């Protein structure tokens, strides 16, 4: 059952439209389809996603015809994985999640799946990301979808046309907000019929009525290729521009003079120093130098003079793209990064470098010489990266096969990282066939390595056996749950679950992700609570270490959250069982109470309400309900509180684990002060942001200040707190010494 719908991403690659990814949504139609389309458009057009999107389009442009042949794709090893994982992640997040409480799982489809090969009831959505300044969309009904009114088949449909198939807009309930929703599509262009025909030539595509946004005056000229570096400096160039950058008689005298100046400067036999002093007086010198350098990047020979020019051209860039400069050695790139990292540069792109090794990356980022001894010294400690990367907050490493996810986990956990294999981990379709996925543990000083969920259902809240005389929870019975963390209510006793946070989480990203998760979980529109781990993956993924408060930026999804699908797989192996928190490592603890009972009188009243509510089933029978029914018990959320906990070394006088427990401002101050001495401005900014963000928390939501915090943690990180049901108790695993635990699943859910 369901209202099945597929979503596709296409783009014009080397003069031909190609399909880049596809997903299946089990329940998507009407206004919900428009909302997911709107959110996905916002993601594709978000500035923080621009460089990784452009990078994957560049990677697509390098593929041969065999790569795009669907018949051969089943047998071609390079197509066995998701070829464009960042584009896929953007599509998945936009189609499946919103902070207003919406979540619905989606399934990854083969990227070459035809428009009509999915199990479909309500049409398809298509996004054209050829030009990221003008991302196009359309809906298509290819056979007669389940709707109240018919629409034209095999025709690009606008948001209004698709919506009118389901609703009479002049009679619809105002609460649905359809007219304001339609306003968000004003000015947006539809995918053209020619683009659809080029992507799927077997389809009998028809021209539809011309929409206002797609009138001839509004349709961009050209063949649809993305803007070149001439049109948008610094953007990755997908194909050579039609116009030559050489001098032209139609150019102004000033432009011709500038071309001559740049020719002189780029002559490797010339010393640019003398000319640079005079050239910098010209206001358009740096932009045009930058444009010329990117045009000639593939053939630009490395030299000391060219390094000087690159430094001058890039010194004001926030996002520095070094991927086109293929002829420059590791030593050259290392020197350039060393010059730029303490300036305005916040992110660096080193993608599409198939020969870049981990030693090379360490040298480029660390700014050290290329000697083996120094290279090993850099790799030995992630602290070296932290001290030497200056203002850099994010690193793009797409299509760098010699850089492993283990290296990223060991040394880059304090940065936003876009890495192809890290992006593929939670999405890889090969795992639906039972292949194992190794655990991934991010390490390094002050890493937030776990999120611990403690859930107390409304039925457990009104169980006096789980309360102390003062009305507080008795945590002595708290044990690890082998089941999904939302299914506590079907079993006696208090349960917790911990998750490895297997994605990079810089301090700012951690704080913003936690804020978004609490906002999602306390949304009055929150639907099916059971899928909260997958929503958590999206909350932490849709934040940025570069742009505070950005909600449409996208990073890698946590595998342990996103693959938490035991509803669909009996052989899913949990990664969180009774894990120790190693001294120096942090955990986020979320304590969810579905009912706030502060004393025995409140408990007695709640028990009476429960008996009256559920009638003949009775109080005792109610406590034995199946786990599935227990999900409903979480709906009346009363309290959701958090705490950051850092494990401390055990004292000589006690065997108990000790913890430093604090709130978000305390965590920010503690970590950033230890990381570097010059982060006071960032600390002040983040703390001020959190104070303002906390004003939006409702009653019962915020920092867990009760004096039993340490007791909860000691119970979680102890042998007694680890219970595998009927199995024999055993010592909890230490993921920092043994990360060989695996998880597998029978079906991939995005």
């Amino acid at each position: 059952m369901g209202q099945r719908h597929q979503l596709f991403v296409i783009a014009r690659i080397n003069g031909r439209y190609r399909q880049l990814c596809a997903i299946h949504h089990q329940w998507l139609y009407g206004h919900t389809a428009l909302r997911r389309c709107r959110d996905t458009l916002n993601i594709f057009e978000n500035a923080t996603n621009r460089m990784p999107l452009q990078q994957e389009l560049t990677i697509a442009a390098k593929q041969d015809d065999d790569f795009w042949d669907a018949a051969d794709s089943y047998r071609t090893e390079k197509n066995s994985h998701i070829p464009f994982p960042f584009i896929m992640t953007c599509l998945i997040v936009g189609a499946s999640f919103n902070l207003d409480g919406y979540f619905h799982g989606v399934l990854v489809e083969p990227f070459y799946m035809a428009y009509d090969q999915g199990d479909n009831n309500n049409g398809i959505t298509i996004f054209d990301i050829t030009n990221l300044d003008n991302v196009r969309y359309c809906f298509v009904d290819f056979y007669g979808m389940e709707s109240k009114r018919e629409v034209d088949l095999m025709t690009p449909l606008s948001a209004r046309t698709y919506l009118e198939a389901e609703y009479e807009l002049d009679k619809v309930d105002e609460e649905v907000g359809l007219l304001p929703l339609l306003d968000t599509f004003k000015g947006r262009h539809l995918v053209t019929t020619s683009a659809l025909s080029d992507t799927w030539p077997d389809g009998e595509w028809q021209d539809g009525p011309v929409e206002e946004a797609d009138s001839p005056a509004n349709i961009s000229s050209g063949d649809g290729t993305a803007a070149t570096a001439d049109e948008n400096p610094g953007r990755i160039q997908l194909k050579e521009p039609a116009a030559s950058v050489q001098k032209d008689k139609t150019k102004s005298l000033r432009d011709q003079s500038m071309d001559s100046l740049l020719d002189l400067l780029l002559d490797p036999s010339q010393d640019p120093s003398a000319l640079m002093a005079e050239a910098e007086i010209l206001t358009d010198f740096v932009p045009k130098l930058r444009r010329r350098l990117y045009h000639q990047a593939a053939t630009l020979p490395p030299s000391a003079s060219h390094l000087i020019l690159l430094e001058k051209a890039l010194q004001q860039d926030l996002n520095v793209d070094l991927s086109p400069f293929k002829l420059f050695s590791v030593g050259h790139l290392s020197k350039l990064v060393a010059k730029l990292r303490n300036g305005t540069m916040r992110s660096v792109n080193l993608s599409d470098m198939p020969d870049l090794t981990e030693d090379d990356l360490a040298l480029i980022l660390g700014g050290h010489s290329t000697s083996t001894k120094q290279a090993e010294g850099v790799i030995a400690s992630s602290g070296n990266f932290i001290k030497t990367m200056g203002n850099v907050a994010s690193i793009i490493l797409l299509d760098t096969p010699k850089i492993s996810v283990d290296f990223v986990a060991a040394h880059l956990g304090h940065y936003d990282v876009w890495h192809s294999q890290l992006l593929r981990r939670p999405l890889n379709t090969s795992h639906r066939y039972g292949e194992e996925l190794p655990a991934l543990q991010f390490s390094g000083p002050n890493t937030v390595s776990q999120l611990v969920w403690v859930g107390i259902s409304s039925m457990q809240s009104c169980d006096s056996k789980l309360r102390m005389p003062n009305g507080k929870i008795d945590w002595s019975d708290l044990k690890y749950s082998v089941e999904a963390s939302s299914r506590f209510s079907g079993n006696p006793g208090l349960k917790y679950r911990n998750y490895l946070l297997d994605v990079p989480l810089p301090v700012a990203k951690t704080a913003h992700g936690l804020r978004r998760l609490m906002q999602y979980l306390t949304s009055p529109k929150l639907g099916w609570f059971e899928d909260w781990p997958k929503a958590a993956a999206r909350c932490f993924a849709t934040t940025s270490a570069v742009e505070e408060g950005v909600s449409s930026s996208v990073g890698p999804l946590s595998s342990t959250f996103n693959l938490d699908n035991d509803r669909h797989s009996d052989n899913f192996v949990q990664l969180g069982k009774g894990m120790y928190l190693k001294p120096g490592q942090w955990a986020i603890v979320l304590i969810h109470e579905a009912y706030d009972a502060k004393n025995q009188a409140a408990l007695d009243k709640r028990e009476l309400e429960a008996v009256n509510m559920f009638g003949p089933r009775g109080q005792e029978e109610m406590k034995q309900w199946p786990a599935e029914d227990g999900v409903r018990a979480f709906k009346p959320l009363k309290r959701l509180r958090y705490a950051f906990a850092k494990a401390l070394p055990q004292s000589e006088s006690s065997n108990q684990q000790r913890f430093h427990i604090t709130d978000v401002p305390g965590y920010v101050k503690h970590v950033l002060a230890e990381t570097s001495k010059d982060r006071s401005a960032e600390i002040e900014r983040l703390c001020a942001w959190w104070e303002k963000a906390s004003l939006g928390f409702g009653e019962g939501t915020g920092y867990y200040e009760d004096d039993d915090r340490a007791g909860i943690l000691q119970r979680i990180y102890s042998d007694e707190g680890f219970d595998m049901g009927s199995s024999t108790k055993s010592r909890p695993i230490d993921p920092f010494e043994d990360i060989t635990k695996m998880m597998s699943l029978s079906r991939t859910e995005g």
Side-chain angles (χ1 to χ4, degrees):
M1 62 176 292
Q3 302 299 137
R4 302 168 184 87
H5 194 112
Q6 288 79 48
L7 301 95
F8 301 85
V9 178
I10 64 175
R12 189 175 178 88
I13 307 295
N14 294 333
R16 165 80 188 276
Y17 264 93
R18 302 291 191 179
Q19 181 178 319
L20 303 177
C21 62
I23 61 174
H24 172 90
H25 197 300
Q26 187 71 8
W27 201 279
L28 190 65
Y29 73 105
H31 68 85
T32 306
L34 263 66
R35 296 181 197 280
R36 305 288 69 79
C37 178
R38 173 204 61 195
D39 291 353
T40 306
L41 287 167
N42 290 339
I43 286 173
F44 282 133
E45 292 182 345
N46 184 274
T48 59
N49 300 325
R50 177 64 55 91
M51 192 172 286
L53 284 171
Q54 285 284 354
Q55 188 61 62
E56 289 201 333
L57 290 174
T58 298
I59 293 169
K62 291 187 171 187
Q63 307 306 318
D64 55 27
D65 289 340
D66 290 341
F67 177 88
W68 303 106
D69 190 336
D72 293 338
S73 295
Y74 288 100
R75 303 187 296 274
T76 304
E77 182 179 353
K78 62 185 176 183
N79 289 351
S80 64
H81 60 248
I82 297 167
F84 311 109
F86 183 71
I87 296 173
M88 173 66 84
T89 303
C90 290
L91 179 62
I92 285 173
V93 171
S96 65
F97 170 77
N98 189 279
L99 276 180
D100 63 7
Y102 177 85
F103 175 82
H104 197 291
V106 296
L107 296 176
V108 172
E109 297 287 3
F111 81 95
Y112 45 79
M113 184 181 80
Y115 70 92
D116 59 352
Q117 284 184 330
D119 186 4
N120 193 275
N121 303 90
N122 291 90
I124 60 178
T125 305
I126 303 166
F127 301 94
D128 178 356
I129 64 170
T130 302
N131 186 346
L132 294 174
D133 288 323
N134 179 25
V135 177
R136 293 171 175 262
Y137 83 96
C138 73
F139 300 94
V140 172
D141 180 4
F142 58 85
Y143 79 102
M145 61 185 183
E146 296 177 4
S147 58
K148 295 179 181 178
R149 280 166 289 280
E150 293 183 354
V151 296
D152 293 334
L153 300 182
M154 299 298 290
T155 297
L157 305 175
S158 69
R160 175 175 287 274
T161 302
Y162 184 83
L163 204 60
E164 287 177 335
E166 198 66 42
Y167 308 96
E168 294 184 46
L169 297 184
D170 57 342
K171 299 180 181 179
V172 75
D173 190 338
E174 292 182 1
E175 291 184 4
V176 180
L178 295 189
L179 295 180
L181 176 60
L182 282 176
D183 286 342
T184 65
F185 287 85
K186 284 185 176 179
R188 290 198 175 276
H189 299 108
L190 295 183
V191 178
T192 63
T193 306
S194 61
L196 297 176
S197 180
D198 197 18
T199 307
W200 298 289
D202 293 337
E204 297 180 358
W205 301 98
Q206 306 294 323
D207 288 322
V210 177
E211 303 290 334
E212 179 182 353
D214 270 313
S215 63
N218 291 329
I219 296 179
S220 58
S221 61
D223 64 357
T225 53
T228 65
D230 255 348
E231 298 159 334
N232 194 341
R235 176 178 290 187
I236 297 168
Q237 191 172 312
L238 299 186
K239 57 182 287 187
E240 288 298 323
S244 171
V245 296
Q246 296 178 354
K247 293 187 291 294
D248 191 300
K249 291 183 179 180
T250 62
K251 289 186 177 181
S252 68
L253 181 61
R254 178 185 177 87
D255 288 340
Q256 292 184 50
S257 298
M258 179 64 72
D259 284 344
S260 297
L261 174 61
L262 293 176
D263 288 341
L264 283 173
L265 286 171
L266 289 170
D267 184 346
S269 65
Q270 299 291 323
D271 180 1
S273 303
L275 288 173
M276 287 276 283
E278 296 183 25
E280 290 180 54
I281 299 174
L282 303 173
T283 56
D284 58 346
F285 168 68
V286 172
K288 290 191 174 182
L289 171 63
R290 187 178 184 281
R291 197 171 286 124
R292 175 71 77 87
L293 287 168
Y294 274 102
H295 272 300
Q296 297 182 208
T299 58
L300 190 69
S303 67
S305 61
H306 289 165
L307 279 177
I308 293 172
L309 294 174
L310 271 172
E311 181 190 351
K312 173 58 65 177
L314 302 177
Q315 64 183 356
Q316 297 301 318
D317 282 16
L318 289 173
N319 307 306
V320 173
D321 182 11
L322 298 180
S323 64
F325 299 96
K326 305 298 185 187
L327 298 182
F328 281 66
S329 69
V330 171
H332 289 119
L333 295 178
S334 176
K335 290 178 181 179
L336 183 58
V337 170
K339 295 283 188 180
L340 297 174
R341 63 176 171 241
N342 292 315
T344 61
M345 181 172 70
R346 298 301 307 280
S347 69
V348 58
N349 181 21
L350 295 167
S351 299
D352 192 22
M353 295 186 178
D355 296 323
L356 185 72
T357 68
E358 293 169 355
D359 284 12
D360 294 338
L361 181 62
L363 293 171
I364 293 171
L365 298 182
H368 295 267
S369 72
T370 56
S371 72
T372 303
K373 183 176 180 180
Q374 285 177 303
E376 291 174 350
V378 173
I379 294 177
S381 170
S382 61
N384 287 322
F385 284 86
I386 296 167
K387 293 175 183 177
T388 58
M389 281 298 287
N391 295 322
V392 174
S394 61
I395 304 165
I396 305 174
L397 296 169
L398 299 172
D399 201 23
T400 51
K402 293 185 179 181
I403 308 298
S404 67
V405 289
D406 293 322
F407 180 88
V408 173
H411 305 294
L412 300 178
H414 290 276
Y415 303 95
D416 261 344
V417 179
W418 288 270
H419 179 272
S420 297
Q421 200 54 34
L422 188 64
L423 287 159
R424 286 189 185 105
R425 274 176 57 84
L427 312 176
N428 201 320
T429 54
S430 65
H431 297 298
R432 70 175 61 177
Y433 305 112
E435 294 183 13
E436 294 179 330
L437 183 66
L440 184 67
Q441 178 63 62
F442 277 73
S443 59
N446 286 314
T447 301
V448 179
S449 62
Q450 297 179 35
L451 186 144
V452 182
W453 176 269
V454 180
I456 307 168
S457 72
S458 57
M459 285 183 283
Q460 291 172 330
S461 293
C462 67
D463 186 349
S464 57
K465 297 177 183 177
L466 300 177
R467 297 274 181 174
M468 295 187 292
N470 61 5
K472 291 185 176 181
I473 296 292
D474 181 1
W475 300 108
S476 62
D477 191 43
L478 184 64
K479 288 183 172 62
Y480 178 81
S481 172
V482 299
E483 298 174 330
S485 48
S486 58
R487 295 186 175 186
F488 293 117
S489 53
N491 300 287
L494 299 170
K495 304 295 178 70
Y496 74 90
R497 174 102 173 266
N498 48 0
Y499 296 83
L500 286 174
L501 293 174
D502 56 351
V503 290
L505 285 177
V507 174
K509 197 176 181 77
T510 303
H512 287 290
L514 176 62
R515 173 66 181 90
R516 291 170 67 76
L517 179 57
M518 297 183 75
Q519 179 180 342
Y520 172 83
L521 291 173
T522 55
S523 169
K525 297 181 180 179
L526 181 65
W528 190 249
F529 184 85
E530 190 171 19
D531 285 319
W532 81 265
K534 295 182 180 63
R538 287 147 177 80
C539 288
F540 284 102
T542 51
T543 60
S544 170
V546 177
E547 300 288 338
E548 291 186 6
V550 171
S551 60
S552 296
S553 64
V554 172
L557 297 165
S558 165
S559 298
T560 51
F561 277 133
N562 201 55
L563 299 179
D564 181 49
N565 66 339
D566 56 306
R567 282 192 299 148
H568 306 295
S569 175
D570 293 332
N571 63 347
F572 181 77
V573 180
Q574 309 297 348
L575 286 176
K577 300 183 285 195
M579 295 182 302
Y580 280 134
L581 195 64
K582 190 175 183 178
Q585 303 296 314
W586 289 82
I588 301 173
V589 183
L590 282 178
I591 300 174
H592 168 197
E593 296 175 70
Y595 181 73
D596 184 9
K598 298 179 179 178
N599 52 52
Q600 190 60 48
L603 288 173
D604 293 342
K605 180 180 179 182
R606 179 63 176 173
E607 285 186 310
L608 181 61
E609 290 174 351
V611 172
N612 292 336
M613 182 184 303
F614 298 111
R617 298 187 71 164
Q619 176 186 355
E620 293 301 320
E621 184 178 351
M622 178 188 68
K623 293 179 182 178
Q624 303 302 319
W625 277 5
E628 288 77 6
D629 288 346
V631 173
R632 300 189 186 93
F634 281 97
K635 294 294 180 63
L637 178 66
K638 293 298 181 181
R639 291 204 292 184
L640 178 66
R641 295 178 289 172
Y642 80 92
F644 278 84
K646 179 180 180 179
L648 303 174
Q650 291 184 353
S651 64
E652 296 181 0
S653 59
S654 173
N655 291 327
Q656 281 191 326
Q657 177 83 60
R658 299 185 305 128
F659 300 91
H660 172 69
I661 304 173
T662 186
D663 57 5
V664 165
Y667 160 74
V668 168
K669 294 173 184 176
H670 186 96
V671 173
L672 292 184
E674 283 193 8
T675 301
S676 177
K677 295 181 180 180
D678 58 355
R679 307 291 285 275
S680 56
E682 185 178 356
I683 292 173
E684 183 177 355
R685 184 175 68 253
L686 275 173
C687 290
W689 166 81
W690 181 261
E691 182 178 1
K692 183 178 179 180
S694 299
L695 298 176
F697 289 159
E699 184 180 357
T701 305
Y703 177 50
Y704 191 93
E705 299 184 86
D706 293 2
D707 54 12
D708 57 359
R709 295 170 301 175
I712 299 172
L713 289 163
Q714 288 168 358
R715 185 67 188 172
I716 290 171
Y717 295 107
S718 69
D719 292 352
E720 289 76 17
F722 174 57
D723 184 14
M724 289 297 294
S726 59
S727 63
T728 305
K729 292 181 182 180
S730 61
R731 176 182 171 84
I733 63 172
D734 181 351
F736 303 94
E737 296 174 0
D738 180 9
I739 59 170
T740 60
K741 301 299 292 182
M742 304 291 185
M743 60 182 174
S744 63
L745 57 155
S746 61
R747 192 179 189 194
T748 296
E749 182 167 344

